[in-house]
Amino acid sequence: MSDSSSDALGPVEWTVTQQQIDQYAAISGADDPLHVDPAFAATSRFGGTIAQGLLMFGQLAELLVRQAGDAAMTACVTLDVDFRGPVRPGRTVRLLGERAAQTQSSSYALTCTDAEAKLLLQGRGSIGREPG
Amino acid sequence: MVADLPELTFDVLTQGHIYARRRYDITADLIDAYSMAIGAPRRIVARPHSEAGAQLAPPTLPAMWTPPRICCDRWRIPVGGIHTRQEWQSLAPVFAGTVLDLELELVRKWIERERRFVLFESRFRDASSALVACGRMTVLWPK
């Protein structure tokens, strides 16, 4: 676990695979052909399959939660993320958090970018006090 | 058969309507599978007000069921929706063995630059009806 006073989360590099997308589809039900059917997705405006937005959202959240340390594992977690671009299998993305504020919670600006530094996800997340 | 269900078009969508009520079991296997997908380690932590350890779900796990195509089982959802924004609040820890009830409400729909957007709010409650997580999902609705 990282030091909870750190000003940065990551960066973490991650390459999503079609197998991971398929596995996530199996457990969540997010089996839209845009995610799991390469032939269908090839005819879409994306030109191929893309990862489920909530799969990437979970990855970004994990970056934040990992920071919190064991003592804060059961604390309130708040996230607000815009999806700016698709994440394609085989492409490596970079997940990063930068401290935004330190009040009652630890708040971070969160980003996911591709190899060309294009923003794919952008938002903020915080871990607050433990629930009563 | 999904094909027999009415299609949930933008015009049919009604603000304030509950489009899904579903119950989900949070099992240890499910937590393991979801954790593997997002790169999270297995976490065993003490339950609040207890010394006993239990497997803790990543805070975003329930969010995976909130897209209308997944939870709206009385409608046929058109293909091609684009998820543009996700807000999420995990208010209480979710441990293996928990049962969660989901309610999905359409809170807003609007047209912006000829694009049709919808905003769904999801609420997850535990067996005592306590709110444990909630979210808001903005989707560019397919034509």
Side-chain angles (χ1 to χ4, degrees):
Chain A
M1 287 299 160
S2 307
D3 175 2
S4 61
S5 65
S6 173
D7 286 336
L9 311 178
V12 171
E13 291 197 341
W14 186 56
T15 305
V16 66
T17 66
Q18 186 60 51
Q19 185 179 16
Q20 288 172 312
I21 292 171
D22 293 345
Q23 287 172 341
Y24 180 81
I27 60 169
S28 66
D31 56 0
D32 189 305
L34 199 52
H35 304 306
V36 300
D37 184 341
F40 172 88
T43 67
S44 74
R45 63 172 152 157
F46 300 111
T49 56
I50 60 173
Q52 296 90 344
L54 284 171
L55 172 58
M56 302 308 302
F57 183 76
Q59 281 270 345
L60 209 49
E62 175 58 22
L63 185 71
L64 181 68
V65 170
R66 200 175 283 253
Q67 173 72 17
D70 289 346
M73 279 298 162
T74 56
C76 297
V77 176
T78 302
L79 294 147
D80 185 356
V81 172
D82 288 325
F83 299 96
R84 300 290 183 97
V87 176
R88 297 182 181 178
R91 306 283 176 85
T92 298
V93 297
R94 187 171 185 262
L95 308 169
L96 178 66
E98 295 179 317
R99 184 180 289 276
Q102 174 82 62
T103 53
Q104 285 184 318
S105 63
S106 294
S107 182
Y108 290 85
L110 303 171
T111 57
C112 171
T113 54
D114 66 12
E116 289 79 43
K118 180 184 174 188
L119 263 179
L120 304 175
L121 283 78
Q122 181 179 34
R124 61 181 187 275
S126 64
I127 294 189
R129 296 167 297 177
E130 289 199 28
Chain B
M1 291 290 290
V2 172
D4 296 333
L5 298 173
E7 186 174 32
L8 193 56
T9 63
F10 185 81
D11 290 341
V12 168
L13 283 160
T14 305
Q15 291 177 187
H17 187 78
I18 304 296
Y19 282 95
R21 284 192 173 89
R22 298 281 295 269
R23 175 164 289 183
Y24 295 101
D25 292 323
I26 310 298
T27 65
D29 286 347
L30 176 70
I31 294 174
D32 279 339
Y34 180 80
S35 298
M36 188 177 297
I38 66 165
R42 173 180 278 205
R43 296 186 170 111
I44 307 293
V45 302
R47 288 176 179 270
H49 316 298
S50 169
E51 294 295 314
Q55 190 175 359
L56 179 67
T60 52
L61 184 149
M64 71 177 174
W65 292 308
T66 61
R69 281 183 59 82
I70 295 172
C71 63
C72 293
D73 54 0
R74 296 185 178 183
W75 296 91
R76 181 162 49 88
I77 309 298
V79 175
I82 303 293
H83 192 170
T84 62
R85 184 178 181 187
Q86 179 69 50
E87 299 166 73
W88 186 252
Q89 269 197 304
S90 174
L91 302 166
V94 174
F95 293 96
T98 303
V99 174
L100 294 179
D101 287 316
L102 163 66
E103 196 173 68
L104 184 78
E105 176 183 353
L106 179 74
V107 295
R108 189 179 167 218
K109 70 173 188 177
W110 71 100
I111 298 175
E112 188 176 313
R113 286 179 287 181
E114 299 184 356
R115 298 193 297 175
R116 299 169 172 190
F117 290 93
V118 298
L119 176 63
F120 283 99
E121 182 172 289
S122 55
R123 298 180 286 269
F124 284 90
R125 297 180 187 279
D126 65 13
S128 67
S129 296
L131 187 66
V132 299
C134 56
R136 286 193 161 204
M137 167 184 289
T138 305
V139 179
L140 175 58
W141 205 251
K143 291 184 178 176

